DNA sequence: AATTGTAATGAATCACGAT
DNA sequence: AATCGTGATTCATTACAAT
């Protein structure tokens, strides 16, 4: 019998697997991966590969048989790899897929049809895109990423505070301005040509992985290419699994990742959410004598008062209950955070009771 | 026999038609419309109520017209109206459809399947979107428009130079930064409430119509709402046909459009406004690899040191936070400009991090 | 009259653990 | 499975009142 630990150990962590991504994914244990990042091909030139049954010439004006057929083939491919990907994800896992208008609508539809739950579409706004030389359309200055949970109920990872910190204290938006991959970062092959036509910038993966994974998470990239996902995962102290069928890309990726150094443990620490902090019952403040039964609390806006009781509940005008319930009732609000709503008096000053909670929490950690 | 001119004259130009858009479109002559702009229901699937952190309730889009039982039902509806729309278009006609991640992938797939030829996806980046109040996802800060020709061979209209002029002489990109519709532009009903939950800004339609139509063109909007498309078409000397089944919306739109005056040619010249220098989050320096997590920064006066973390915060002696917060704390100052306070080392020299910010800014403007 | 402060609001798939 | 209680969470802009 396989135990959980054995399955986990069986994962080929931090390696690049050779082969067709669907077959390889199906050979790995189900429910073992935290995040999938996928940059699937969108320029499958199926027109050339698919042949019309009777070999007749296509009238370009009003015959869309060709494109229809190629979309069908692309959909089949997309649904197959997404199905294999979904099987691999842990119940609370999530997926990111990047694409352009050529393929992203097919991908999004397939994701929704297969039960993934879209969380955001994120636009990568390129600060230095290639111009439209013929002046017949808009400069194609962005690509689209879809972020989706494995299912509607998945408790996906989202490091809200870390992303907010990355954005100078303002909530991170669904449009990201980042340059395309150029200069030293752009990998070259033996001939000095670019090693991969669509190498993604590490900055993009940095933001995805800081925001949607934690250190130690397993990230799978089924279209590994030259390994941007693996390189950034390694820097950030995450584990990766790459799948790539082109030997030339694997070679470049191996070499690249071997040179990457993991950041210090301290540097990987990221601003944490308050939700993760330990819960402190209000009653503990009374038990510890930080507040005394009978003591009067005042609301932040000074409009209401309530008295502390021995069991850690409050009594106000015609209401009693928890600090939250009494606050909500007095304000006529659907809810209320009693910790920040109520204040007590010490040495002539009015202080939020949350200060006392912080005091207890700091004692807990030290 | 009907001549071309008679068909054209038979069109109910510059009127708002009452009824189901599919039936109405099928009653109009085929191949008679230059451009279709469509803002279909997005099929939002909202669960409970949502409150802002100040406990005020968010007025959600919960109208009947946005309710569909399933993706299948939504697809059926989408394919039906797109088919009717395609029949109406002239051979060289084009369509714009706007949506969000809830529906746009279904729309894009349907467009491609029906033989429309996607020319660009254009991202409307909202300068003032509603935040994500629970901190569980990215701020939903954009919507997506798909621009497609009737078919692959359609010789669609694209006023390249006009758009370039609108964009201060630089080729127009596929991402447009425009504010949402508020203030005086936002139409109110008799009770002073917003007349329509999803009124689009005129600036958006202005750019679409200047770019994708010529004066005298016929523009059809099958989900007319309060008539932004009609109002902007009239201003710009284009003809419109609106279809709207809600009498209340039609009334507001009629009144609105009657007040619109067509622009003088001279008035169409847009004056360009200078922008303030773009804000660059410090985190972007880390994401882009200009500074590495774990790297040490030194204060300008060399008295203090701090280390960079992966989320763009700093850690110094007993302090962590933004470059500004840590600088202020270490100096015991009320505030501190971290950009000019902190320095890094490169090639044996100590350089203020502001140099890196300038580098990013120059990339953004070039 | 000009400035400052306060309230309102926008296409939103917006919590989670204990019982 | 469903319910209940705790308590975490917002940015840009406009409108209007107060100073």
């Amino acid at each position: 019998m396989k135990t959980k630990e054995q399955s986990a150990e069986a994962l080929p962590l931090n390696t690049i697997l050779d082969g067709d991504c669907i077959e390889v994914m199906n050979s790995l244990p189900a429910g073992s991966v935290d995040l999938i990042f996928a940059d699937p091909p969108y320029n499958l030139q199926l027109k050339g590969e698919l042949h019309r049954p009777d070999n007749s010439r296509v009238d370009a004006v009003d015959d869309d048989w060709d494109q229809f057929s190629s979309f069908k083939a692309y959909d089949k491919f997309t649904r197959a790899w997404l199905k294999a990907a979904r099987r691999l994800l842990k119940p609370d896992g999530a997926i990111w897929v990047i694409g352009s208008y050529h393929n992203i609508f097919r991908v999004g539809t397939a994701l929704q049809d297969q039960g993934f739950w879209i969380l955001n579409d994120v636009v990568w706004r390129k600060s230095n895109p290639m111009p439209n030389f013929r002046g017949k359309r808009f400069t194609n200055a962005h690509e689209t990423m879809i972020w989706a949970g494995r299912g509607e109920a998945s408790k996906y990872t989202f490091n809200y505070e870390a992303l907010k910190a990355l954005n100078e204290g303002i909530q991170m938006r669904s449009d990201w301005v980042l340059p395309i991959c150029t200069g030293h970062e752009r990998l070259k092959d033996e001939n000095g040509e670019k090693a991969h036509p669509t190498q993604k910038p590490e900055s993009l993966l940095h933001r995805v992985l800081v925001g949607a994974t934690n250190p130690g998470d397993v990230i799978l990239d089924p279209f590994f290419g030259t390994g941007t996902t693996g390189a950034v995962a390694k820097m950030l102290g995450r584990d990766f699994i790459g799948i790539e069928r082109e030997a030339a890309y694997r070679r470049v990726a191996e070499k690249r990742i071997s040179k990457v150094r993991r950041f210090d443990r301290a540097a990987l620490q990221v601003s944490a959410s308050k939700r993760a902090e330990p819960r402190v019952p209000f009653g503990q403040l009374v038990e510890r004598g930080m507040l005394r039964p009978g003591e009067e609390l005042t609301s932040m806006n000074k409009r209401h008062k309530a008295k502390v009781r021995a069991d850690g509940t409050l009594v106000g005008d015609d209401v009693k209950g928890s600090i939250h319930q009494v606050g909500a009732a007095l304000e006529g609000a659907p809810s209320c955070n009693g910790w920040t709503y109520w204040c007590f008096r010490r040495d002539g000053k009015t202080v939020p009771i949350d200060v006392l909670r912080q005091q207890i929490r700091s004692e807990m950690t030290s």
Side-chain angles (χ1 to χ4, degrees), chain A:
Chain A
M1 196 190 91
K2 250 187 182 174
T3 69
K4 225 177 195 174
E5 286 68 27
Q6 281 169 335
S7 305
E9 279 174 48
L11 281 179
L13 292 182
N14 307 313
T15 56
I16 308 173
L17 306 174
D18 172 15
D20 170 71
C21 75
I22 298 168
E23 285 170 25
V24 174
M25 282 194 277
N26 283 334
S27 76
L28 296 172
S32 56
V33 163
D34 295 287
L35 191 87
I36 291 174
F37 183 91
D39 182 9
Y42 58 82
N43 55 346
L44 294 183
Q45 283 311 331
L46 298 169
K47 271 185 193 166
E49 294 169 29
L50 293 170
H51 298 291
R52 205 174 194 176
D54 62 359
N55 232 354
S56 60
R57 197 176 141 274
V58 174
D59 180 358
V61 177
D62 206 30
D63 195 326
D64 44 42
W65 184 93
D66 260 3
Q67 74 217 40
F68 188 82
S69 309
S70 53
F71 283 133
K72 235 169 133 173
Y74 189 78
D75 289 346
K76 195 178 160 195
F77 161 73
T78 301
R79 282 161 204 272
W81 78 256
L82 280 177
K83 187 180 167 193
R86 191 155 187 270
R87 173 185 158 275
L88 268 189
L89 282 175
K90 295 180 184 174
D92 290 335
I95 190 169
W96 287 72
V97 189
I98 184 167
S100 69
Y101 68 81
H102 305 90
N103 71 322
I104 199 67
F105 305 118
R106 323 299 302 189
V107 170
T109 299
L111 280 166
Q112 290 177 316
D113 287 346
Q114 297 196 4
F116 287 97
W117 191 248
I118 298 184
L119 300 165
N120 275 116
D121 58 337
V122 174
V123 170
W124 168 29
R125 198 257 185 191
K126 303 177 185 180
S127 51
N128 49 349
M130 192 193 302
N132 184 294
F133 294 113
R134 299 183 56 203
K136 300 299 290 179
R137 303 184 184 188
F138 298 98
T139 308
N140 215 330
H142 75 276
E143 292 187 27
T144 302
M145 291 183 287
I146 302 175
W147 175 37
R150 185 184 186 282
E152 185 172 355
S154 300
K155 290 176 196 131
Y156 55 92
T157 298
F158 183 59
N159 293 319
Y160 176 76
E161 292 294 342
L163 289 163
K164 195 171 163 179
L166 266 178
N167 197 32
E168 290 242 301
I170 292 163
Q171 190 172 85
M172 187 72 80
R173 301 167 37 118
S174 59
D175 55 323
W176 301 356
V177 181
L178 294 169
I180 60 176
C181 183
T182 54
H184 286 105
E185 193 185 323
R186 189 82 196 216
L187 298 165
K188 303 282 191 289
D189 63 16
E190 307 79 30
N191 310 318
E193 304 290 317
K194 58 189 174 192
H196 193 281
T198 65
Q199 186 184 340
K200 297 291 173 287
E202 295 187 356
S203 57
L204 191 75
L205 270 294
H206 181 106
R207 195 174 288 184
V208 170
L209 297 187
V210 165
T213 65
N214 293 312
D217 278 3
V218 176
I219 297 144
L220 179 130
D221 185 336
F223 307 98
F224 202 61
T226 48
T228 306
T229 303
V232 178
K234 186 175 174 188
M235 285 178 210
L236 292 174
R238 276 74 165 163
D239 289 317
F240 71 88
I241 301 171
I243 307 174
E244 176 53 55
R245 59 180 183 187
E246 301 271 343
Y249 295 156
R250 287 200 305 275
R251 267 197 308 277
V252 174
E254 293 274 17
K255 191 174 158 193
R256 170 191 195 176
I257 295 170
S258 70
K259 286 195 267 186
V260 167
R261 270 196 36 207
R262 188 184 144 161
F263 297 142
D264 298 340
R265 184 169 291 277
L268 295 180
Q269 295 290 325
V270 126
S271 313
S273 149
K274 280 188 200 158
R275 284 182 235 258
E277 295 200 61
R279 187 163 286 216
V280 177
F282 176 72
Q284 219 168 100
L285 275 55
V286 185
E287 287 175 339
R288 293 188 176 204
M290 299 167 110
L291 292 174
R292 302 181 155 280
E295 185 163 352
E296 194 170 67
L297 301 185
T298 312
S299 70
M300 185 61 81
N301 56 23
K302 303 191 174 167
R303 279 202 277 269
H304 299 286
K305 289 183 191 307
K307 273 193 179 170
V308 177
R309 300 200 295 183
D311 63 352
T313 56
L314 297 188
V315 208
D317 296 333
D318 302 326
V319 259
K320 49 190 169 188
S322 71
I323 50 172
H324 314 295
Q325 289 166 338
V326 174
L330 292 174
E331 291 292 324
S335 71
C336 171
N337 182 347
W339 290 107
T340 52
Y341 180 75
W342 293 109
C343 302
F344 67 104
R345 289 192 72 80
R346 275 293 179 282
D347 309 325
K349 277 188 284 195
T350 306
V351 190
I353 59 174
D354 205 28
V355 169
L356 302 174
R357 181 169 66 160
Q358 286 308 329
Q359 203 172 311
I360 293 180
R361 278 183 176 156
S362 68
E363 284 168 24
M364 289 167 80
T365 54
S366 61

